Amino acid sequence: MRAIRVACAALLGMTALTLTAPVAAARDDGERNITSFGFNVSPTTIAAGGRVSLSVNGCKSATKVSSGVFDTVTIPKGQGSATATVDWDAKPGAVYEVTFQCGNESGHTDLTIATGRPSDPTHTPVHRGVKAGVGGSTGGFDLSEIGLGAALIAGSVGAAYHWSRRRAGEHGG
């Protein structure tokens, strides 16, 4: 009988999830970004002072690209890309809107400013991953902590053995 209740609850949960998913996907925030031309900012996260590549395709006229974090750039008709230098005073962690204006249409995307500043402002900073430390058994080798951990494990195993033998004796006798 319990299995039937669990199955019914799971089926009810899946039905609720299925019925609410299309509503969430169809939600309109008032920000439609559908254009007859394609556009892109690369990379989408960059440090202040770095260079971003702005690309557009399918635009039949010159494209004006503007943002509060770099000077306005014009991509001439027939060309597909240009570069822009992010201002040095861009706030780390901030998200700036980049607007692509092609004729009477405009589309926008976000550009996030990373923390830190590149040492050479003419090149995009290289991300080298995180510094995770030594790891393994060699980092922070402390005999007192190892001894305490071993004592806790031994105590747990001993208590489990004691309680299992005690219960076996109670039921058997």
Side-chain angles (χ1 to χ4, degrees):
M1 194 66 167
R2 186 177 191 289
I4 293 173
R5 288 189 298 218
V6 171
C8 287
L11 184 61
L12 182 61
M14 289 303 294
T15 303
L17 180 63
T18 304
L19 293 176
T20 57
V23 174
R27 193 175 125 216
D28 182 13
D29 291 334
E31 289 189 41
R32 295 183 183 219
N33 208 18
I34 301 171
T35 60
S36 64
F37 65 97
F39 54 90
N40 187 33
V41 174
S42 179
T44 56
T45 301
I46 189 145
R51 294 179 64 87
V52 291
S53 175
L54 310 167
S55 59
V56 63
N57 60 353
C59 182
K60 307 252 188 275
S61 63
T63 305
K64 186 185 280 188
V65 185
S66 59
S67 178
V69 73
F70 56 79
D71 294 333
T72 300
V73 176
T74 301
I75 302 174
K77 179 180 175 180
Q79 289 188 0
S81 65
T83 59
T85 302
V86 176
D87 295 338
W88 279 98
D89 60 349
K91 182 179 178 186
V95 178
Y96 291 89
E97 183 176 272
V98 179
T99 303
F100 290 80
Q101 182 74 38
C102 174
N104 293 332
E105 283 187 277
S106 67
H108 61 269
T109 187
D110 291 333
L111 177 64
T112 304
I113 306 302
T115 57
R117 299 186 187 280
S119 58
D120 182 4
T122 60
H123 295 93
T124 304
V126 177
H127 300 284
R128 302 194 190 281
V130 298
K131 293 181 181 176
V134 178
S137 61
T138 59
F141 186 71
D142 187 7
L143 288 178
S144 63
E145 289 179 0
I146 291 174
L148 180 61
L152 288 173
I153 291 171
S156 298
V157 169
Y161 177 77
H162 172 74
W163 287 105
S164 68
R165 301 305 282 159
R166 183 176 174 186
R167 291 193 185 265
E170 289 176 1
H171 294 297

